[in-house]
């Protein structure tokens, strides 16, 4: 029960992060800047609760943690944000929502015991259809852009591999240690990106404006620190497949947040999609006996 509640809490927070990011982008920050500052805050905070162990027991585990920092940190955020720059937000949202399906596929390949049954597959597909309707929100035409759409699928795939690696090492290390390493390696691997593109945010005056600082604190403390700590614990409790299925609900949370904060309208299509999404989620969590 607590694992399911934790998953719902995290995706509810993550579903609103795009609003904070959008507001910060409107203030003049770059996507990579937002990632860097939120991960810096998150790393410092996690160090207070995880500071006794420096390294993993084996070098292969340390490499796995490095991979998680890249896949769930720098590479994921770079590909997702660049995808939005080339494609539409609707396309990106739909394609990134394929993460649960890709995660289930990878888990089925590497861990046969955790394969989804037919009922769960049907529920997952139904939830994905609901996501599409929610994201489209009355718009019936998608404008395809190969470069942006490939980047969005890449972002989805990186998070799926993040969940796969997490499945491998979660039994040997606690979630706080794993989260700290993910943040640390995420920060280290974003630095070459700054060096290659020759830019970094230097307007410190803007950083201390209450509106900007408040949104950065929300992203750094709530979405990153709390979100990753709880999410890594949730994967340990529910497994990679069941926990990742909750990502479907992010689009629903994002829709409600956009309506309340940004004043965006909600259409009948989105409402129907939300109902289908929730029904699919419920079905996807059931096993054969249930």
């Amino acid at each position: 029960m607590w694992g399911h509640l934790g998953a719902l809490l995290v995706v509810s927070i993550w579903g609103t992060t795009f609003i904070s990011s959008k507001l910060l982008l409107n203030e003049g920050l770059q996507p990579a800047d937002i990632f860097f500052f939120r991960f810096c805050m998150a790393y410092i905070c996690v160090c207070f609760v995880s500071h006794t162990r420096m390294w993993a027991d084996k070098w292969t585990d340390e490499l796995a943690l490095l991979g998680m920092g890249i896949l769930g940190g720098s590479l994921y955020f770079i590909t997702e944000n660049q995808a939005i720059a080339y494609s539409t937000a609707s396309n990106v949202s739909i394609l990134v929502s394929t993460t649960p399906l890709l995660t289930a596929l990878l888990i089925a390949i590497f861990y046969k015991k955790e394969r989804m049954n037919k009922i769960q597959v049907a529920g997952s597909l139904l939830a994905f259809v609901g996501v599409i309707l929610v994201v489209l929100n009355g718009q019936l035409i998608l404008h395809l852009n190969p470069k942006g759409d490939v980047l969005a699928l890449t972002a989805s795939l990186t998070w799926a591999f993040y969940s796969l690696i997490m499945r491998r090492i979660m039994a040997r290390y606690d979630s706080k240690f794993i989260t700290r390493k993910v943040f640390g390696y995420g920060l280290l691997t974003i630095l070459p990106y700054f060096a290659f593109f020759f830019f970094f945010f230097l307007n410190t005056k803007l950083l201390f404006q209450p509106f900007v600082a408040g949104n950065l604190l929300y992203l750094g403390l709530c979405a990153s620190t709390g979100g990753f700590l709880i999410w890594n614990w949730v994967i340990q409790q529910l497994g990679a497949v069941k926990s990742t299925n909750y990502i479907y609900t992010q689009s629903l949370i994002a829709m409600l947040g956009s309506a309340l904060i940004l004043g965006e309208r909600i259409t009948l299509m989105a409402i129907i999609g939300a109902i289908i999404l929730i029904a699919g989620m419920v079905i996807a969590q059931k096993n054969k006996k249930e």
Side-chain angles (χ1 to χ4, degrees):
M1 175 184 175
W2 291 110
H4 293 286
L5 290 175
L8 283 172
L9 174 62
V10 174
V11 296
S12 296
I13 294 173
W14 285 351
T16 62
T17 55
F18 94 98
I19 299 174
S20 286
S21 297
K22 186 173 182 178
L23 293 172
L24 289 172
L25 290 170
N26 291 338
E27 293 295 322
L29 274 72
Q30 297 293 326
D33 300 329
I34 298 171
F35 165 80
F36 182 80
F37 287 119
R38 66 183 284 185
F39 262 50
C40 271
M41 285 187 284
Y43 182 75
I44 293 170
C45 290
V46 175
C47 283
F48 284 103
V49 296
S50 175
H51 52 78
T52 55
R53 177 197 287 267
M54 282 296 297
W55 308 101
D57 294 329
K58 299 184 294 184
W59 68 269
T60 52
D61 289 346
E62 193 68 30
L63 283 179
L65 292 166
L66 169 61
M68 290 176 67
I70 296 172
L71 295 169
S74 55
L75 184 59
Y76 175 82
F77 282 93
I78 288 172
T79 52
E80 185 182 55
N81 288 323
Q82 288 301 316
I84 295 175
Y86 292 117
S87 187
T88 64
S90 297
N91 284 32
V92 174
S93 298
I94 291 172
L95 292 171
V96 170
S97 293
T98 61
T99 298
L101 294 174
L102 292 175
T103 301
L105 178 62
L106 289 175
I107 294 295
I109 293 172
F110 291 95
Y111 300 97
K112 294 182 179 180
K113 292 182 179 180
E114 290 192 26
R115 285 180 176 174
M116 297 173 69
N117 57 52
K118 292 180 180 179
I119 295 175
Q120 292 172 326
V121 171
S124 187
L125 291 172
L126 188 63
F128 182 63
V129 171
V131 168
I132 294 174
L133 295 177
V134 168
V135 172
L136 289 177
N137 197 14
Q139 300 176 11
L140 299 177
I141 300 175
L142 282 176
H143 300 283
L144 300 180
N145 185 295
K147 184 183 289 188
D149 295 342
V150 168
L151 284 170
L153 280 173
T154 301
S156 179
L157 193 60
T158 59
W159 192 263
F161 273 106
Y162 171 89
S163 301
L164 182 67
I165 299 175
M166 180 66 182
R167 166 66 178 77
R168 175 181 173 273
I169 67 169
M170 65 184 183
R172 296 197 290 274
Y173 305 97
D174 65 81
S175 60
K176 295 187 291 293
F177 171 74
I178 294 172
T179 305
R180 194 195 81 222
K181 299 297 276 189
V182 169
F183 288 149
Y185 282 127
L187 286 170
L188 285 176
T189 53
I190 197 67
L191 294 179
Y193 179 82
F194 286 119
F196 182 78
F197 287 99
F198 299 103
F199 73 86
F200 188 71
F201 182 81
L202 296 174
N203 189 350
T204 55
K205 185 178 180 181
L206 179 59
L207 284 179
F208 290 100
Q209 290 183 6
F211 180 79
V212 173
N215 278 282
L216 283 174
L217 286 171
Y218 175 72
L219 292 174
L221 301 182
C222 296
S224 293
T225 307
F228 271 79
L229 280 172
I230 298 173
W231 187 255
N232 289 338
W233 173 81
V234 165
I235 293 179
Q236 291 177 326
Q237 300 300 309
L238 302 181
V241 174
K242 277 193 172 183
S243 56
T244 308
N245 271 331
Y246 277 96
I247 290 178
Y248 283 130
T249 61
Q250 283 190 77
S251 59
L252 177 58
I253 301 299
M255 178 189 71
L256 295 174
S258 297
L260 293 173
I261 299 173
L262 301 178
E264 296 182 1
R265 69 188 186 96
I266 298 177
T267 66
L268 178 61
M269 177 189 286
I271 295 172
I272 295 172
I275 296 171
I276 295 174
L277 190 159
I278 294 170
M281 276 292 304
V282 172
I283 296 171
Q285 297 298 323
K286 292 182 178 295
N287 55 41
K288 290 182 179 179
K289 293 181 180 179
E290 293 172 326

